[in-house]
Amino acid sequence: MNDPIETLRLEFNEELKRLSTLKELEPHRQRFLGRKGPIQHLLSSLRDLSAEERPLFGKRVNDLKEFAESACDELHARFLLGEEAARLKEEGIDVTLPGRPRLFGRKHPVSCMMEELLDIFMEMGFSVQYGSEIETDYYNFEALNFGPDHPARDMHDTFYLRPDILLRTHTSPTQVRVMEHQRPPIRVVAPGRCFRNEDVTARSHVQFHQIEGFYIDRGVSFADLLQTIQDFLEKLFGAEIKLRFRPSYFPFVEPGLEVDVSCLICHGVGCAVCKHSGWLEVLGAGMIHPEVLRNGGIDPEVYSGYAWGMGVERPVMLRHGIQDIRLFTDNDPRFLEQFLEL
Ligand code: PHE
């Protein structure tokens, strides 16, 4: 048998059987069906045939061409499916594997306490102002009546960034900042983070939070201060809490006092938390010093005011029986996830 069309078909089929990937298929298609391939060659040879031979030969070559094309197409589709299936198998997801646990963020217990305190004071008519964590020596000390060599500076172990720039050691600098921009009556609470260069232990830390409050108007009295403090501590800790006011000293108030509450753990009987005294110190307060009012541009002959400042970590620790202040900043989810949002 010496039929070139049949020979080519056999050859084509033989080679096709050996293919197993898409990558091999395309060169094969090109070799047979391309412009320089044997099929095209047979078609070109038509013109050498006689007029009688031409139609039948032409039809047979075209049949072969169609056959070869559809055989390649079919194989292409088959390989494609096979390779896709193999890829999916490889990349597939095993839906029976247990999922990875996801940690959900919650409000930090200190933030919850801060919000609770702000709610109490907003209800009492105070508005909220935020100071700056980086302060000048002037607002943190000078304007609050701590002269350059004032001994009370020793109680504030300060992180200085530059000789006159520091990390605020308390929220009190907000007092003069607000006075500079607001006229009395002023009723402001200022929450925020403070920093002191202290050893980090279970009871003290280099960073902590305070909330400052102050009220300036005509005729604000010491009695107003005591009443406000009593109202808010009872709201915070419950009406059965007992309070103790002790005289104390801060350069920016006169007179100054510290306030203790009866121990929340032992209710005054004496325990390790209150060092067996039955009392816990919670805040400092006093009547704003005339000099401080003057530094804020407010005439102390006309106006008077009170101020208090309270640490925020302490009440959280007391409420939840937390023994170590470092837990607040360790970022350990096992600690943090115990606090449900209030
Ligand atoms: N700023 C003081 C401190 O950090 C607390 C305080 C505030 C005292 C306002 C009196 C008045 O210790």
Side-chain angles (χ1 to χ4, degrees):
M1 179 179 84
N2 199 8
D3 176 354
I5 299 176
E6 217 28 58
T7 310
L8 192 55
R9 183 197 299 272
L10 285 175
E11 199 184 312
F12 175 81
N13 275 338
E14 267 318 295
E15 276 198 38
L16 209 62
K17 271 190 233 156
R18 283 199 289 274
L19 304 180
S20 57
T21 65
L22 269 180
K23 234 175 159 173
E24 297 166 342
L25 175 63
E26 285 319 303
H28 178 73
R29 188 202 293 266
Q30 270 299 317
R31 199 160 59 248
F32 277 88
L33 289 156
R35 265 193 300 129
K36 291 185 179 145
I39 291 180
Q40 200 55 43
H41 182 74
L42 284 178
L43 285 173
S44 321
S45 70
L46 272 178
R47 65 182 118 84
D48 303 329
L49 296 180
S50 66
E52 302 89 72
E53 285 175 309
R54 213 176 279 163
L56 180 61
F57 193 85
K59 182 178 177 315
R60 289 185 60 223
V61 178
N62 271 325
D63 283 351
L64 175 61
K65 187 177 173 193
E66 265 171 39
F67 164 78
E69 269 167 0
S70 70
C72 285
D73 286 350
E74 205 177 289
L75 208 58
H76 184 97
R78 185 136 49 89
F79 286 165
L80 198 64
L81 268 180
E83 286 178 22
E84 180 84 350
R87 189 176 61 78
L88 283 180
K89 197 168 171 206
E90 179 142 311
E91 294 178 358
I93 297 168
D94 180 354
V95 291
T96 65
L97 279 176
R100 292 195 193 112
R102 259 191 205 210
L103 296 177
F104 287 94
R106 287 176 205 274
K107 250 179 217 163
H108 193 280
V110 171
S111 304
C112 292
M113 174 59 74
M114 201 62 112
E115 281 176 16
E116 200 179 322
L117 289 164
L118 291 181
D119 280 348
I120 293 175
F121 284 103
M122 286 193 286
E123 208 171 274
M124 291 166 95
F126 287 76
S127 64
V128 183
Q129 305 251 348
Y130 295 89
S132 154
E133 290 175 4
I134 296 176
E135 259 302 356
T136 59
D137 186 273
Y138 175 74
Y139 287 106
N140 197 83
F141 290 126
E142 286 282 337
L144 294 173
N145 230 2
F146 294 78
D149 299 312
H150 199 291
R153 282 189 181 227
D154 292 348
M155 288 168 59
H156 296 232
D157 300 290
T158 311
F159 287 113
Y160 283 92
L161 305 180
R162 293 211 298 260
D164 56 339
I165 311 260
L166 46 81
L167 297 180
R168 69 173 169 196
T169 57
H170 51 173
T171 42
S172 302
T174 322
Q175 290 184 31
V176 175
R177 284 194 176 274
V178 168
M179 288 179 214
E180 286 176 347
H181 294 104
Q182 257 170 263
R183 292 300 92 196
I186 297 172
R187 230 187 249 101
V188 165
V189 277
R193 190 170 13 200
C194 308
F195 306 86
R196 287 191 199 179
N197 190 359
E198 288 181 25
D199 291 342
V200 176
T201 68
R203 297 175 62 86
S204 72
H205 208 288
V206 289
Q207 52 171 326
F208 54 94
H209 294 76
Q210 284 191 342
I211 179 167
E212 188 89 3
F214 44 99
Y215 173 36
I216 304 165
D217 201 354
R218 287 173 200 267
V220 175
S221 70
F222 194 61
D224 294 331
L225 170 61
L226 302 187
Q227 187 63 58
T228 307
I229 288 174
Q230 181 169 342
D231 285 352
F232 111 77
L233 289 179
E234 283 180 1
K235 273 205 183 117
L236 184 64
F237 294 119
E240 61 294 341
I241 198 86
K242 288 202 278 300
L243 304 185
R244 187 168 76 171
F245 297 94
R246 280 183 290 111
S248 186
Y249 174 77
F250 304 94
F252 41 97
V253 288
E254 180 57 38
L257 65 143
E258 273 171 322
V259 183
D260 303 333
V261 296
S262 49
C263 180
L264 298 164
I265 309 292
C266 66
H267 305 286
V269 179
C271 67
V273 174
C274 60
K275 295 199 193 125
H276 304 283
S277 71
W279 296 99
L280 298 162
E281 183 198 318
V282 289
L283 61 83
M287 298 305 291
I288 300 176
H289 197 287
E291 199 52 39
V292 176
L293 289 173
R294 220 170 277 129
N295 289 336
I298 289 172
D299 184 353
E301 302 296 325
V302 183
Y303 297 104
S304 58
Y306 64 67
W308 48 264
M310 173 170 139
V312 180
E313 274 79 0
R314 197 85 194 281
V316 184
M317 293 172 79
L318 292 172
R319 178 174 292 174
H320 296 292
I322 298 166
Q323 308 268 0
D324 192 327
I325 196 171
R326 291 171 290 199
L327 287 165
F328 290 129
T329 43
D330 282 351
N331 246 353
D332 186 335
R334 290 170 303 176
F335 170 73
L336 294 170
E337 72 192 2
Q338 299 177 76
F339 302 94
L340 289 174
E341 204 172 295
L342 287 173

